[in-house]
Amino acid sequence: MAKILVIEDEAAIRRVLVKILSEENDAYEVDEAEDGLAGIEKIKKEDFDLVLCDIKMPKMDGVEVLEAVKKIKPEIPMVMISGHGDLDTAVNTMRLGSFDYISKPPDLNRLLNTVRIALDTKVLVVENKMLKKKVSKKYEMIGDSDAISHIKDMIEKVSATDARVLITGPNGTGKELVAHWLHQKSERSKGPLIEVNCAAIPAELIESELFGHVKGAFTSAVKDRAGKFEAANGGTIFLDEIGDMSLSAQAKVLRALQESRIQRVGNDKDIKVDVRVVAATNKNLKEEIAAGRFREDLYHRLAVILIKVPALNDRREDIPLLIKHFSTKISEEQGTAKKEFSNKAIKLLQDYDWTGNIRELRNVVERLIILGEKEVSENDVKLFASK
């Protein structure tokens, strides 16, 4: 049932509004407040789906109520009620975030239509926020260890901002999952997430890959080409293994971060980009800086927020959950029945030295599912896990 609050100091108008809304739809639960202060108190204590608020009121006018509601419960749509002399103010409330305004005396059809649309819009806004909180199952971070819980908390705090994030940790620990979580939980989730593996691109091509090039910039540049930064405009660029990037490319990335502008290779024309940068590395960048292989100024630009992803050996308590997750996922992919792991098999896997981290664990689980019996036993682990 949708809960609607009517804030109106004129008792006669308030009663009419309450009566119209209550009689129109049994699904509306309508409450009332005689002034702005009383309305704010109700909004603080209860959850409303819509507020109808007069503009001219004693103690606290409608504009002040609107500003207060946008601070304490911004998801509630506000429909302002304006007298003939308040129209300019009513229009101004739209700029401040009100959903709409209705003139006095209210037209019945206009009032009910506005209320319906406002409530529908509120539902969509709430659903959209809930969807943003959910991350694709493909990029789930499995585990409830202190280390993983800390990372999830960090992501919740950081994702809503545009702060640059540097993710560190050994190979195979799931640094790319953190990047996906940061993007999918952010306001940029509707935009692209462009991934660049800096270690996989030859040094002579990395600048072209990141910033694009113009025709004739080098031998194989047969036409103009946009780079990854342009492709990520409005979204996020994930620079994986940034510790392997050449110093010349680092200088251009630094400029892009400082000025939000890039230049294609072979052209001096600036291109403005709106991109959030998330970077990752398995290297100790402070050691790389000391060795002259990484720019210190770029490090400080990237490491506004540092997230360290632990090795699997440092979060062994998560291994039973990971085994269950991988077993389910692999069985679905292969169209086979899910296999259970005995307690002794799980214990052996927990005690294993995982130099390849989660990536290695997944490979071992897949091998055991393919080669093991109906239930993966301790002997299966001893036989197949070390191969």
Side-chain angles (χ1 to χ4, degrees):
M1 181 175 284
K3 287 184 69 175
I4 301 173
L5 176 63
V6 177
I7 307 174
E8 169 63 70
D9 63 310
E10 294 185 49
I13 295 177
R14 192 169 68 246
R15 282 196 297 271
V16 168
L17 290 170
V18 171
K19 187 172 186 293
I20 289 171
L21 293 169
S22 300
E23 291 180 353
E24 166 63 17
N25 195 322
D26 291 337
Y28 294 165
E29 179 185 338
V30 188
D31 199 353
E32 56 187 286
E34 68 277 8
D35 59 52
L37 285 177
I40 289 295
E41 287 306 308
K42 283 181 178 283
I43 290 166
K44 285 179 179 177
K45 294 175 183 176
E46 301 177 52
D47 290 326
F48 291 97
D49 298 294
L50 175 65
V51 174
L52 272 68
C53 182
D54 189 19
I55 290 178
K56 275 195 175 181
M57 293 185 293
K59 298 183 182 178
M60 188 178 198
D61 68 28
V63 175
E64 292 173 309
V65 173
L66 172 63
E67 291 175 332
V69 171
K70 288 300 167 189
K71 288 179 182 177
I72 57 176
K73 291 186 178 178
E75 71 279 2
I76 302 177
M78 297 275 294
V79 175
M80 311 307 292
I81 306 168
S82 64
H84 180 70
D86 303 325
L87 280 177
D88 287 342
T89 307
V91 172
N92 185 51
T93 64
M94 298 286 285
R95 298 192 195 100
L96 296 173
S98 69
F99 181 81
D100 203 348
Y101 64 89
I102 295 172
S103 300
K104 292 181 181 178
D107 174 84
L108 178 61
N109 290 331
R110 168 81 196 280
L111 169 67
L112 294 175
N113 193 46
T114 300
V115 166
R116 280 193 292 269
I117 294 171
L119 289 171
D120 288 345
T121 301
K122 198 249 183 180
V123 169
L124 290 173
V125 168
V126 171
E127 286 178 350
N128 188 42
K129 285 188 175 182
M130 288 176 68
L131 285 171
K132 282 184 177 179
K133 291 292 181 184
K134 294 180 181 178
V135 178
S136 167
K137 283 191 175 183
K138 183 179 177 183
Y139 301 108
E140 278 184 292
M141 290 179 64
I142 306 300
D144 53 17
S145 61
D146 288 344
I148 293 301
S149 296
H150 175 68
I151 290 173
K152 289 177 181 178
D153 288 342
M154 285 277 286
I155 291 170
E156 291 294 335
K157 291 175 182 175
V158 174
S159 58
T161 74
D162 267 349
R164 290 183 286 276
V165 180
L166 178 62
I167 308 164
T168 63
N171 283 334
T173 51
K175 297 186 290 295
E176 71 281 358
L177 300 186
V178 177
H180 277 272
W181 269 54
L182 284 165
H183 176 71
Q184 291 189 31
K185 285 177 170 284
S186 75
E187 294 300 317
R188 292 177 176 268
S189 60
K190 290 181 181 177
L193 170 62
I194 303 297
E195 299 180 60
V196 183
N197 187 335
C198 301
I201 303 169
E204 63 273 15
L205 295 179
I206 186 70
E207 291 180 37
S208 169
E209 190 73 19
L210 291 175
F211 308 112
H213 60 252
V214 295
K215 182 179 178 181
F218 46 86
T219 305
S220 58
V222 294
K223 62 179 179 179
D224 289 0
R225 181 176 178 272
K228 300 296 188 184
F229 268 84
E230 285 181 75
N233 197 42
T236 305
I237 189 166
F238 174 44
L239 301 176
D240 198 9
E241 303 303 350
I242 197 167
D244 293 279
M245 184 181 287
S246 67
L247 286 169
S248 61
Q250 289 177 36
K252 288 198 172 185
V253 169
L254 178 64
R255 180 178 184 265
L257 298 184
Q258 289 173 327
E259 302 176 14
S260 296
R261 295 176 185 277
I262 61 163
Q263 288 181 354
R264 290 184 179 181
V265 176
N267 196 345
D268 58 2
K269 180 183 176 183
D270 281 344
I271 300 171
K272 189 168 178 60
V273 288
D274 172 25
V275 175
R276 183 189 194 177
V277 176
V278 175
T281 182
N282 63 348
K283 293 186 175 181
N284 185 324
L285 290 188
K286 291 190 175 179
E287 290 180 0
E288 295 297 300
I289 291 167
R293 292 188 293 266
F294 201 84
R295 296 182 61 117
E296 185 173 11
D297 47 4
L298 177 58
Y299 172 81
H300 290 300
R301 286 279 178 178
L302 291 170
V304 176
I305 303 293
L306 270 170
I307 296 180
K308 184 178 180 181
V309 184
L312 185 56
N313 288 341
D314 296 328
R315 46 177 289 218
R316 294 181 186 274
E317 62 267 46
D318 288 332
I319 288 177
L321 287 174
L322 287 162
I323 292 170
K324 184 178 180 181
H325 171 73
F326 289 140
S327 178
T328 301
K329 193 171 181 181
I330 291 164
S331 298
E332 288 174 356
E333 289 172 359
Q334 296 182 353
T336 59
K338 181 183 171 184
K339 289 186 180 177
E340 298 297 329
F341 283 65
S342 71
N343 291 334
K344 287 185 178 180
I346 292 172
K347 181 67 173 64
L348 268 181
L349 291 170
Q350 279 187 288
D351 293 339
Y352 189 80
D353 182 23
W354 296 103
T355 55
N357 295 295
I358 294 174
R359 193 176 296 151
E360 183 184 10
L361 174 62
R362 191 196 190 284
N363 291 342
V364 167
V365 170
E366 185 168 9
R367 188 183 305 140
L368 288 166
I369 287 172
I370 294 169
L371 300 176
E373 300 301 325
K374 278 190 176 181
E375 180 185 68
V376 178
S377 68
E378 178 184 12
N379 288 333
D380 290 329
V381 172
K382 288 177 180 177
L383 184 60
F384 302 122
S386 60
K387 289 186 178 180

mmCIF file of all heavy atoms in Angstrom, residues 294-332:
data_model
loop_
_atom_site.group_PDB
_atom_site.id
_atom_site.type_symbol
_atom_site.label_atom_id
_atom_site.label_comp_id
_atom_site.label_asym_id
_atom_site.label_seq_id
_atom_site.Cartn_x
_atom_site.Cartn_y
_atom_site.Cartn_z
ATOM 1 N N PHE A 294 58.759 3.101 -12.324
ATOM 2 C CA PHE A 294 57.385 3.599 -12.210
ATOM 3 C C PHE A 294 57.406 5.008 -11.640
ATOM 4 O O PHE A 294 58.181 5.315 -10.726
ATOM 5 C CB PHE A 294 56.538 2.685 -11.307
ATOM 6 C CG PHE A 294 55.056 2.839 -11.532
ATOM 7 C CD1 PHE A 294 54.422 2.135 -12.550
ATOM 8 C CD2 PHE A 294 54.288 3.693 -10.748
ATOM 9 C CE1 PHE A 294 53.064 2.278 -12.782
ATOM 10 C CE2 PHE A 294 52.931 3.847 -10.967
ATOM 11 C CZ PHE A 294 52.310 3.133 -11.985
ATOM 12 N N ARG A 295 56.533 5.858 -12.190
ATOM 13 C CA ARG A 295 56.509 7.266 -11.795
ATOM 14 C C ARG A 295 55.828 7.417 -10.438
ATOM 15 O O ARG A 295 54.699 6.950 -10.239
ATOM 16 C CB ARG A 295 55.763 8.097 -12.829
ATOM 17 C CG ARG A 295 56.415 8.135 -14.197
ATOM 18 C CD ARG A 295 55.608 9.018 -15.123
ATOM 19 N NE ARG A 295 55.532 10.376 -14.633
ATOM 20 C CZ ARG A 295 56.034 11.448 -15.263
ATOM 21 N NH1 ARG A 295 56.672 11.290 -16.411
ATOM 22 N NH2 ARG A 295 55.910 12.645 -14.756
ATOM 23 N N GLU A 296 56.497 8.113 -9.547
ATOM 24 C CA GLU A 296 55.929 8.317 -8.208
ATOM 25 C C GLU A 296 54.696 9.203 -8.259
ATOM 26 O O GLU A 296 53.714 8.970 -7.542
ATOM 27 C CB GLU A 296 56.976 8.926 -7.272
ATOM 28 C CG GLU A 296 56.487 9.040 -5.826
ATOM 29 C CD GLU A 296 57.575 9.487 -4.870
ATOM 30 O OE1 GLU A 296 58.654 9.916 -5.347
ATOM 31 O OE2 GLU A 296 57.350 9.409 -3.647
ATOM 32 N N ASP A 297 54.714 10.220 -9.141
ATOM 33 C CA ASP A 297 53.557 11.113 -9.223
ATOM 34 C C ASP A 297 52.329 10.377 -9.750
ATOM 35 O O ASP A 297 51.208 10.624 -9.316
ATOM 36 C CB ASP A 297 53.859 12.357 -10.075
ATOM 37 C CG ASP A 297 54.543 12.042 -11.402
ATOM 38 O OD1 ASP A 297 54.728 10.840 -11.722
ATOM 39 O OD2 ASP A 297 54.903 12.991 -12.125
ATOM 40 N N LEU A 298 52.538 9.424 -10.662
ATOM 41 C CA LEU A 298 51.414 8.631 -11.159
ATOM 42 C C LEU A 298 50.888 7.719 -10.059
ATOM 43 O O LEU A 298 49.664 7.543 -9.913
ATOM 44 C CB LEU A 298 51.834 7.804 -12.374
ATOM 45 C CG LEU A 298 50.766 6.860 -12.946
ATOM 46 C CD1 LEU A 298 49.505 7.622 -13.351
ATOM 47 C CD2 LEU A 298 51.312 6.067 -14.127
ATOM 48 N N TYR A 299 51.795 7.135 -9.290
ATOM 49 C CA TYR A 299 51.383 6.271 -8.180
ATOM 50 C C TYR A 299 50.433 7.019 -7.241
ATOM 51 O O TYR A 299 49.379 6.502 -6.862
ATOM 52 C CB TYR A 299 52.602 5.767 -7.405
ATOM 53 C CG TYR A 299 52.240 5.028 -6.130
ATOM 54 C CD1 TYR A 299 51.847 3.700 -6.172
ATOM 55 C CD2 TYR A 299 52.271 5.675 -4.896
ATOM 56 C CE1 TYR A 299 51.500 3.022 -5.014
ATOM 57 C CE2 TYR A 299 51.927 5.018 -3.736
ATOM 58 C CZ TYR A 299 51.529 3.679 -3.800
ATOM 59 O OH TYR A 299 51.173 3.026 -2.638
ATOM 60 N N HIS A 300 50.805 8.225 -6.868
ATOM 61 C CA HIS A 300 49.974 8.987 -5.926
ATOM 62 C C HIS A 300 48.645 9.401 -6.550
ATOM 63 O O HIS A 300 47.642 9.553 -5.848
ATOM 64 C CB HIS A 300 50.749 10.210 -5.406
ATOM 65 C CG HIS A 300 51.879 9.837 -4.501
ATOM 66 N ND1 HIS A 300 51.699 9.144 -3.332
ATOM 67 C CD2 HIS A 300 53.225 10.042 -4.614
ATOM 68 C CE1 HIS A 300 52.872 8.939 -2.737
ATOM 69 N NE2 HIS A 300 53.818 9.475 -3.510
ATOM 70 N N ARG A 301 48.628 9.582 -7.869
ATOM 71 C CA ARG A 301 47.359 9.879 -8.548
ATOM 72 C C ARG A 301 46.434 8.659 -8.560
ATOM 73 O O ARG A 301 45.219 8.781 -8.429
ATOM 74 C CB ARG A 301 47.633 10.320 -9.994
ATOM 75 C CG ARG A 301 48.206 11.706 -10.123
ATOM 76 C CD ARG A 301 47.131 12.761 -10.037
ATOM 77 N NE ARG A 301 47.671 14.102 -10.106
ATOM 78 C CZ ARG A 301 46.934 15.202 -10.092
ATOM 79 N NH1 ARG A 301 45.623 15.104 -10.007
ATOM 80 N NH2 ARG A 301 47.492 16.387 -10.155
ATOM 81 N N LEU A 302 47.031 7.485 -8.730
ATOM 82 C CA LEU A 302 46.236 6.265 -8.832
ATOM 83 C C LEU A 302 45.788 5.750 -7.472
ATOM 84 O O LEU A 302 44.681 5.222 -7.324
ATOM 85 C CB LEU A 302 47.040 5.161 -9.529
ATOM 86 C CG LEU A 302 47.350 5.344 -11.009
ATOM 87 C CD1 LEU A 302 48.346 4.293 -11.470
ATOM 88 C CD2 LEU A 302 46.069 5.262 -11.839
ATOM 89 N N ALA A 303 46.635 5.883 -6.483
ATOM 90 C CA ALA A 303 46.401 5.248 -5.178
ATOM 91 C C ALA A 303 45.649 6.155 -4.216
ATOM 92 O O ALA A 303 46.016 6.273 -3.051
ATOM 93 C CB ALA A 303 47.732 4.807 -4.584
ATOM 94 N N VAL A 304 44.569 6.785 -4.710
ATOM 95 C CA VAL A 304 43.722 7.565 -3.801
ATOM 96 C C VAL A 304 43.101 6.611 -2.775
ATOM 97 O O VAL A 304 43.079 6.863 -1.571
ATOM 98 C CB VAL A 304 42.618 8.311 -4.578
ATOM 99 C CG1 VAL A 304 41.685 9.043 -3.624
ATOM 100 C CG2 VAL A 304 43.245 9.277 -5.582
ATOM 101 N N ILE A 305 42.619 5.478 -3.283
ATOM 102 C CA ILE A 305 42.122 4.400 -2.430
ATOM 103 C C ILE A 305 42.922 3.147 -2.772
ATOM 104 O O ILE A 305 43.050 2.782 -3.936
ATOM 105 C CB ILE A 305 40.624 4.117 -2.659
ATOM 106 C CG1 ILE A 305 39.781 5.378 -2.422
ATOM 107 C CG2 ILE A 305 40.146 2.966 -1.776
ATOM 108 C CD1 ILE A 305 39.743 5.856 -0.977
ATOM 109 N N LEU A 306 43.454 2.499 -1.751
ATOM 110 C CA LEU A 306 44.215 1.266 -1.944
ATOM 111 C C LEU A 306 43.394 0.074 -1.453
ATOM 112 O O LEU A 306 42.894 0.088 -0.329
ATOM 113 C CB LEU A 306 45.528 1.323 -1.163
ATOM 114 C CG LEU A 306 46.756 1.904 -1.864
ATOM 115 C CD1 LEU A 306 47.877 2.109 -0.859
ATOM 116 C CD2 LEU A 306 47.235 0.991 -2.982
ATOM 117 N N ILE A 307 43.241 -0.928 -2.301
ATOM 118 C CA ILE A 307 42.564 -2.159 -1.894
ATOM 119 C C ILE A 307 43.525 -3.315 -2.135
ATOM 120 O O ILE A 307 43.941 -3.558 -3.264
ATOM 121 C CB ILE A 307 41.248 -2.379 -2.674
ATOM 122 C CG1 ILE A 307 40.250 -1.262 -2.353
ATOM 123 C CG2 ILE A 307 40.653 -3.742 -2.329
ATOM 124 C CD1 ILE A 307 38.920 -1.393 -3.082
ATOM 125 N N LYS A 308 43.870 -4.016 -1.061
ATOM 126 C CA LYS A 308 44.791 -5.140 -1.175
ATOM 127 C C LYS A 308 43.998 -6.442 -1.144
ATOM 128 O O LYS A 308 43.277 -6.726 -0.189
ATOM 129 C CB LYS A 308 45.803 -5.117 -0.028
ATOM 130 C CG LYS A 308 46.844 -6.208 -0.137
ATOM 131 C CD LYS A 308 47.865 -6.130 0.984
ATOM 132 C CE LYS A 308 48.899 -7.244 0.851
ATOM 133 N NZ LYS A 308 49.894 -7.216 1.946
ATOM 134 N N VAL A 309 44.119 -7.238 -2.209
ATOM 135 C CA VAL A 309 43.429 -8.524 -2.295
ATOM 136 C C VAL A 309 44.372 -9.606 -1.764
ATOM 137 O O VAL A 309 45.486 -9.757 -2.278
ATOM 138 C CB VAL A 309 43.015 -8.852 -3.748
ATOM 139 C CG1 VAL A 309 42.221 -10.148 -3.786
ATOM 140 C CG2 VAL A 309 42.187 -7.703 -4.324
ATOM 141 N N PRO A 310 43.964 -10.344 -0.733
ATOM 142 C CA PRO A 310 44.881 -11.306 -0.105
ATOM 143 C C PRO A 310 45.093 -12.564 -0.947
ATOM 144 O O PRO A 310 44.239 -12.942 -1.762
ATOM 145 C CB PRO A 310 44.166 -11.658 1.205
ATOM 146 C CG PRO A 310 42.715 -11.489 0.892
ATOM 147 C CD PRO A 310 42.642 -10.328 -0.067
ATOM 148 N N ALA A 311 46.222 -13.215 -0.720
ATOM 149 C CA ALA A 311 46.476 -14.525 -1.330
ATOM 150 C C ALA A 311 45.504 -15.539 -0.725
ATOM 151 O O ALA A 311 45.021 -15.361 0.399
ATOM 152 C CB ALA A 311 47.924 -14.942 -1.065
ATOM 153 N N LEU A 312 45.217 -16.606 -1.464
ATOM 154 C CA LEU A 312 44.282 -17.616 -0.972
ATOM 155 C C LEU A 312 44.799 -18.270 0.307
ATOM 156 O O LEU A 312 44.014 -18.625 1.190
ATOM 157 C CB LEU A 312 44.038 -18.677 -2.054
ATOM 158 C CG LEU A 312 42.985 -19.745 -1.729
ATOM 159 C CD1 LEU A 312 41.647 -19.118 -1.373
ATOM 160 C CD2 LEU A 312 42.822 -20.707 -2.901
ATOM 161 N N ASN A 313 46.115 -18.419 0.424
ATOM 162 C CA ASN A 313 46.689 -18.998 1.642
ATOM 163 C C ASN A 313 46.398 -18.153 2.876
ATOM 164 O O ASN A 313 46.491 -18.653 4.003
ATOM 165 C CB ASN A 313 48.206 -19.170 1.493
ATOM 166 C CG ASN A 313 48.559 -20.293 0.543
ATOM 167 O OD1 ASN A 313 47.733 -21.169 0.258
ATOM 168 N ND2 ASN A 313 49.788 -20.288 0.031
ATOM 169 N N ASP A 314 46.066 -16.872 2.675
ATOM 170 C CA ASP A 314 45.762 -15.975 3.790
ATOM 171 C C ASP A 314 44.269 -15.897 4.099
ATOM 172 O O ASP A 314 43.859 -15.141 4.984
ATOM 173 C CB ASP A 314 46.293 -14.561 3.489
ATOM 174 C CG ASP A 314 47.809 -14.527 3.381
ATOM 175 O OD1 ASP A 314 48.461 -15.329 4.083
ATOM 176 O OD2 ASP A 314 48.339 -13.717 2.590
ATOM 177 N N ARG A 315 43.470 -16.674 3.380
ATOM 178 C CA ARG A 315 42.019 -16.690 3.631
ATOM 179 C C ARG A 315 41.488 -18.114 3.452
ATOM 180 O O ARG A 315 40.502 -18.358 2.762
ATOM 181 C CB ARG A 315 41.291 -15.699 2.707
ATOM 182 C CG ARG A 315 41.704 -15.749 1.254
ATOM 183 C CD ARG A 315 40.921 -14.824 0.365
ATOM 184 N NE ARG A 315 39.565 -15.245 0.162
ATOM 185 C CZ ARG A 315 38.888 -15.144 -0.994
ATOM 186 N NH1 ARG A 315 39.476 -14.641 -2.053
ATOM 187 N NH2 ARG A 315 37.647 -15.534 -1.095
ATOM 188 N N ARG A 316 42.160 -19.054 4.072
ATOM 189 C CA ARG A 316 41.811 -20.470 3.916
ATOM 190 C C ARG A 316 40.397 -20.788 4.383
ATOM 191 O O ARG A 316 39.791 -21.750 3.919
ATOM 192 C CB ARG A 316 42.816 -21.346 4.669
ATOM 193 C CG ARG A 316 44.228 -21.292 4.095
ATOM 194 C CD ARG A 316 45.176 -22.211 4.862
ATOM 195 N NE ARG A 316 46.552 -22.052 4.400
ATOM 196 C CZ ARG A 316 47.069 -22.706 3.376
ATOM 197 N NH1 ARG A 316 46.327 -23.573 2.716
ATOM 198 N NH2 ARG A 316 48.327 -22.515 3.021
ATOM 199 N N GLU A 317 39.871 -19.979 5.313
ATOM 200 C CA GLU A 317 38.508 -20.224 5.806
ATOM 201 C C GLU A 317 37.461 -20.055 4.715
ATOM 202 O O GLU A 317 36.320 -20.528 4.856
ATOM 203 C CB GLU A 317 38.187 -19.319 7.006
ATOM 204 C CG GLU A 317 38.221 -17.830 6.729
ATOM 205 C CD GLU A 317 39.564 -17.180 7.018
ATOM 206 O OE1 GLU A 317 40.604 -17.755 6.600
ATOM 207 O OE2 GLU A 317 39.573 -16.112 7.647
ATOM 208 N N ASP A 318 37.821 -19.393 3.609
ATOM 209 C CA ASP A 318 36.885 -19.214 2.493
ATOM 210 C C ASP A 318 36.898 -20.398 1.515
ATOM 211 O O ASP A 318 36.033 -20.473 0.631
ATOM 212 C CB ASP A 318 37.226 -17.934 1.707
ATOM 213 C CG ASP A 318 36.878 -16.672 2.469
ATOM 214 O OD1 ASP A 318 35.945 -16.716 3.291
ATOM 215 O OD2 ASP A 318 37.541 -15.643 2.247
ATOM 216 N N ILE A 319 37.849 -21.293 1.653
ATOM 217 C CA ILE A 319 38.009 -22.369 0.669
ATOM 218 C C ILE A 319 36.779 -23.272 0.562
ATOM 219 O O ILE A 319 36.353 -23.607 -0.553
ATOM 220 C CB ILE A 319 39.308 -23.175 0.941
ATOM 221 C CG1 ILE A 319 40.511 -22.302 0.551
ATOM 222 C CG2 ILE A 319 39.320 -24.496 0.164
ATOM 223 C CD1 ILE A 319 41.869 -22.929 0.838
ATOM 224 N N PRO A 320 36.129 -23.698 1.680
ATOM 225 C CA PRO A 320 34.906 -24.514 1.522
ATOM 226 C C PRO A 320 33.829 -23.813 0.694
ATOM 227 O O PRO A 320 33.175 -24.448 -0.147
ATOM 228 C CB PRO A 320 34.446 -24.729 2.974
ATOM 229 C CG PRO A 320 35.705 -24.643 3.781
ATOM 230 C CD PRO A 320 36.527 -23.595 3.104
ATOM 231 N N LEU A 321 33.632 -22.512 0.903
ATOM 232 C CA LEU A 321 32.644 -21.759 0.121
ATOM 233 C C LEU A 321 33.044 -21.680 -1.345
ATOM 234 O O LEU A 321 32.200 -21.782 -2.244
ATOM 235 C CB LEU A 321 32.490 -20.345 0.691
ATOM 236 C CG LEU A 321 31.734 -20.199 2.016
ATOM 237 C CD1 LEU A 321 31.807 -18.758 2.508
ATOM 238 C CD2 LEU A 321 30.292 -20.634 1.863
ATOM 239 N N LEU A 322 34.331 -21.491 -1.595
ATOM 240 C CA LEU A 322 34.820 -21.408 -2.968
ATOM 241 C C LEU A 322 34.658 -22.750 -3.687
ATOM 242 O O LEU A 322 34.275 -22.795 -4.862
ATOM 243 C CB LEU A 322 36.284 -20.966 -2.974
ATOM 244 C CG LEU A 322 36.535 -19.493 -2.631
ATOM 245 C CD1 LEU A 322 37.987 -19.271 -2.249
ATOM 246 C CD2 LEU A 322 36.137 -18.596 -3.800
ATOM 247 N N ILE A 323 34.943 -23.838 -2.978
ATOM 248 C CA ILE A 323 34.777 -25.174 -3.574
ATOM 249 C C ILE A 323 33.318 -25.391 -3.967
ATOM 250 O O ILE A 323 33.012 -25.865 -5.073
ATOM 251 C CB ILE A 323 35.248 -26.268 -2.594
ATOM 252 C CG1 ILE A 323 36.767 -26.192 -2.404
ATOM 253 C CG2 ILE A 323 34.837 -27.653 -3.099
ATOM 254 C CD1 ILE A 323 37.295 -27.063 -1.282
ATOM 255 N N LYS A 324 32.406 -25.053 -3.058
ATOM 256 C CA LYS A 324 30.973 -25.211 -3.332
ATOM 257 C C LYS A 324 30.555 -24.363 -4.530
ATOM 258 O O LYS A 324 29.815 -24.815 -5.416
ATOM 259 C CB LYS A 324 30.169 -24.816 -2.090
ATOM 260 C CG LYS A 324 28.675 -25.033 -2.233
ATOM 261 C CD LYS A 324 27.952 -24.666 -0.943
ATOM 262 C CE LYS A 324 26.442 -24.876 -1.082
ATOM 263 N NZ LYS A 324 25.720 -24.502 0.160
ATOM 264 N N HIS A 325 31.029 -23.115 -4.568
ATOM 265 C CA HIS A 325 30.694 -22.202 -5.662
ATOM 266 C C HIS A 325 31.212 -22.733 -6.994
ATOM 267 O O HIS A 325 30.464 -22.806 -7.986
ATOM 268 C CB HIS A 325 31.291 -20.828 -5.373
ATOM 269 C CG HIS A 325 31.202 -19.870 -6.511
ATOM 270 N ND1 HIS A 325 30.016 -19.284 -6.899
ATOM 271 C CD2 HIS A 325 32.150 -19.404 -7.380
ATOM 272 C CE1 HIS A 325 30.228 -18.498 -7.938
ATOM 273 N NE2 HIS A 325 31.512 -18.554 -8.249
ATOM 274 N N PHE A 326 32.483 -23.129 -7.036
ATOM 275 C CA PHE A 326 33.069 -23.619 -8.284
ATOM 276 C C PHE A 326 32.431 -24.934 -8.724
ATOM 277 O O PHE A 326 32.216 -25.168 -9.915
ATOM 278 C CB PHE A 326 34.585 -23.790 -8.140
ATOM 279 C CG PHE A 326 35.341 -22.497 -8.058
ATOM 280 C CD1 PHE A 326 36.411 -22.351 -7.187
ATOM 281 C CD2 PHE A 326 34.994 -21.408 -8.843
ATOM 282 C CE1 PHE A 326 37.120 -21.164 -7.104
ATOM 283 C CE2 PHE A 326 35.686 -20.214 -8.768
ATOM 284 C CZ PHE A 326 36.753 -20.091 -7.890
ATOM 285 N N SER A 327 32.132 -25.791 -7.757
ATOM 286 C CA SER A 327 31.506 -27.071 -8.087
ATOM 287 C C SER A 327 30.158 -26.864 -8.765
ATOM 288 O O SER A 327 29.850 -27.489 -9.788
ATOM 289 C CB SER A 327 31.331 -27.898 -6.810
ATOM 290 O OG SER A 327 30.687 -29.118 -7.091
ATOM 291 N N THR A 328 29.358 -25.957 -8.215
ATOM 292 C CA THR A 328 28.046 -25.651 -8.803
ATOM 293 C C THR A 328 28.199 -25.049 -10.193
ATOM 294 O O THR A 328 27.541 -25.456 -11.155
ATOM 295 C CB THR A 328 27.272 -24.676 -7.896
ATOM 296 O OG1 THR A 328 27.110 -25.264 -6.608
ATOM 297 C CG2 THR A 328 25.905 -24.344 -8.485
ATOM 298 N N LYS A 329 29.101 -24.085 -10.302
ATOM 299 C CA LYS A 329 29.285 -23.366 -11.561
ATOM 300 C C LYS A 329 29.812 -24.290 -12.665
ATOM 301 O O LYS A 329 29.313 -24.275 -13.803
ATOM 302 C CB LYS A 329 30.258 -22.209 -11.336
ATOM 303 C CG LYS A 329 30.306 -21.202 -12.469
ATOM 304 C CD LYS A 329 31.119 -19.985 -12.065
ATOM 305 C CE LYS A 329 31.149 -18.965 -13.186
ATOM 306 N NZ LYS A 329 31.948 -17.780 -12.826
ATOM 307 N N ILE A 330 30.802 -25.118 -12.335
ATOM 308 C CA ILE A 330 31.406 -26.011 -13.329
ATOM 309 C C ILE A 330 30.407 -27.071 -13.776
ATOM 310 O O ILE A 330 30.324 -27.409 -14.966
ATOM 311 C CB ILE A 330 32.686 -26.650 -12.757
ATOM 312 C CG1 ILE A 330 33.761 -25.566 -12.597
ATOM 313 C CG2 ILE A 330 33.192 -27.773 -13.655
ATOM 314 C CD1 ILE A 330 34.921 -25.963 -11.695
ATOM 315 N N SER A 331 29.618 -27.589 -12.826
ATOM 316 C CA SER A 331 28.599 -28.590 -13.179
ATOM 317 C C SER A 331 27.557 -28.002 -14.121
ATOM 318 O O SER A 331 27.125 -28.658 -15.071
ATOM 319 C CB SER A 331 27.919 -29.109 -11.904
ATOM 320 O OG SER A 331 28.853 -29.752 -11.064
ATOM 321 N N GLU A 332 27.158 -26.735 -13.877
ATOM 322 C CA GLU A 332 26.197 -26.067 -14.758
ATOM 323 C C GLU A 332 26.792 -25.865 -16.141
ATOM 324 O O GLU A 332 26.121 -26.078 -17.160
ATOM 325 C CB GLU A 332 25.791 -24.717 -14.151
ATOM 326 C CG GLU A 332 24.886 -24.845 -12.933
ATOM 327 C CD GLU A 332 24.637 -23.505 -12.271
ATOM 328 O OE1 GLU A 332 25.234 -22.490 -12.719
ATOM 329 O OE2 GLU A 332 23.847 -23.449 -11.303
#
